Amino acid sequence: MENIIEVKDLWEVYSEKEVFFDVDDRDLIAALDESNETVVAVRGVSFTVKPGEVFIVMGLSGSGKSTLIRCLLRLVEISWGEVRINGQDVTAMNMKELTEFRRHEVAMVFQHYGLLPHKTVLENAAFGLKLRGVPKKERRERAYESLKAVGLEDWVDYYPASLSGGMLQRVGIARALVADTPILLMDEPFSGLDPLIRREMQDELLRIQQEYQKTIFFVTHDLDEAMRLGDRMAVMRNGEIVQIGRPAEVFARPADDYVARFVQDKRDEIRRADEQMAAMAASQAERVGIGDVS
């Protein structure tokens, strides 16, 4: 399969009242933009993701990236457009088909873990298999193996309240792995973690990806994270994708002023680091020169 995710002309409009949306009705779209009762969260988005790819979606708060990832599973109903995943038309599914699709084709890792506080780590990891009707012995064995894969085999009988933020997120990843789906959707999964733990979780995800070769759709607002994890990245603004490319390409050749401003802080950080290294090298050379004279 050339593409495992295909999204075509996707629109998402939030409204308290039902809106009969027509993508060709530009006057309607303008009215929705001006209204205080509607939000056009995603507008005309199209992209593809290849099997085994880590595809990053990034943007500032309110850019539409979290709405976009929810549209892929129809956690919010799509106003217009088409989503095809693993050859299946998600937009055309009835609720029964959609439930089965969510259980077997895609696993999601949330920012705030989504764990059940009254269940143990093992029970949380196995919960998706329980919903599928997998026998208890099998689901516990598979959950244990997934927890072992993320380094939590000694914590299977603990409850979420006993775990650190990084450990909680590992349980969320283990729960996604045990589902054995080809696709992982990750909505800013590391944004609430301390920088050191966040780095460790990024390392863990890279290791897991190398071992399992999942297709990962990863939402973040952090450029460093995007550049470290992504094979390709899409930058969103005001519900639209303004640039898609490899992280290094986006960083080196921003498509417009918005993307340029987005990467400017990282450019400044690199420039300051280069200046500091040059100053240190000059200082070292000066000390060596003084030593030679003496």
Side-chain angles (χ1 to χ4, degrees), residues 37-250:
E37 298 179 350
T38 57
V39 176
V40 184
V42 176
R43 55 182 75 221
V45 164
S46 299
F47 63 89
T48 59
V49 181
K50 298 182 182 301
E53 186 175 30
V54 180
F55 187 85
I56 305 289
V57 176
M58 66 178 305
L60 300 176
S61 178
S63 62
K65 57 189 187 298
S66 289
T67 296
L68 175 59
I69 197 173
R70 282 161 170 74
C71 285
L72 299 184
L73 284 180
R74 279 175 55 194
L75 297 177
V76 294
E77 281 300 338
I78 297 167
S79 301
W80 186 280
E82 181 179 331
V83 175
R84 299 188 70 88
I85 296 180
N86 213 10
Q88 302 181 61
D89 186 353
V90 179
T91 45
M93 291 179 180
N94 59 39
M95 290 311 299
K96 182 179 179 181
E97 293 169 336
L98 186 58
T99 298
E100 287 302 303
F101 172 82
R102 290 170 178 170
R103 289 178 179 175
H104 294 278
E105 299 295 332
V106 181
M108 190 157 182
V109 181
F110 296 93
Q111 177 180 352
H112 298 295
Y113 322 125
L115 303 182
L116 301 170
H118 61 286
K119 292 187 177 294
T120 66
V121 165
L122 185 67
E123 290 168 338
N124 267 284
F127 189 68
L129 298 181
K130 182 178 180 180
L131 293 178
R132 289 187 191 175
V134 174
K136 183 175 182 179
K137 183 175 185 294
E138 180 184 346
R139 68 176 183 255
R140 289 179 67 87
E141 289 173 351
R142 289 172 58 179
Y144 178 82
E145 289 303 314
S146 71
L147 289 166
K148 185 177 180 181
V150 299
L152 289 179
E153 65 269 26
D154 295 332
W155 293 82
V156 294
D157 294 325
Y158 286 77
Y159 289 86
S162 303
L163 276 59
S164 67
M167 295 168 75
L168 291 169
Q169 197 55 275
R170 287 173 189 265
V171 178
I173 292 174
R175 183 176 55 190
L177 289 176
V178 77
D180 196 27
T181 62
I183 302 170
L184 297 181
L185 305 182
M186 308 186 78
D187 186 12
E188 300 207 53
F190 308 147
S191 63
L193 304 177
D194 293 335
L196 181 59
I197 298 175
R198 184 171 189 159
R199 179 81 176 191
E200 291 175 353
M201 291 305 302
Q202 291 169 3
D203 290 340
E204 186 73 11
L205 183 62
L206 290 171
R207 183 190 66 78
I208 289 170
Q209 174 61 1
Q210 185 175 14
E211 180 176 353
Y212 292 94
Q213 290 297 300
K214 302 288 187 180
T215 301
I216 300 177
F217 188 93
F218 191 104
V219 168
T220 183
H221 64 270
D222 186 281
L223 180 61
D224 286 332
E225 190 164 71
M227 294 186 67
R228 186 157 189 257
L229 298 179
D231 295 311
R232 284 190 303 142
M233 61 184 286
V235 182
M236 292 193 72
R237 175 188 63 192
N238 193 30
E240 298 177 297
I241 290 179
V242 295
Q243 186 171 1
I244 296 180
R246 294 188 177 277
E249 294 170 351
V250 174

Side-chain angles (χ1 to χ4, degrees), residues 19-35:
V19 175
F20 295 97
F21 187 76
D22 181 353
V23 70
D24 295 320
D25 190 339
R26 295 300 165 180
D27 291 337
L28 171 62
I29 295 172
L32 294 174
D33 280 330
E34 294 173 2
S35 173

Side-chain angles (χ1 to χ4, degrees), residues 264-276:
Q264 187 60 48
D265 286 346
K266 185 63 178 177
R267 289 174 179 271
D268 291 343
E269 180 184 327
I270 293 173
R271 177 182 53 78
R272 288 192 296 268
D274 288 343
E275 291 173 350
Q276 290 171 359

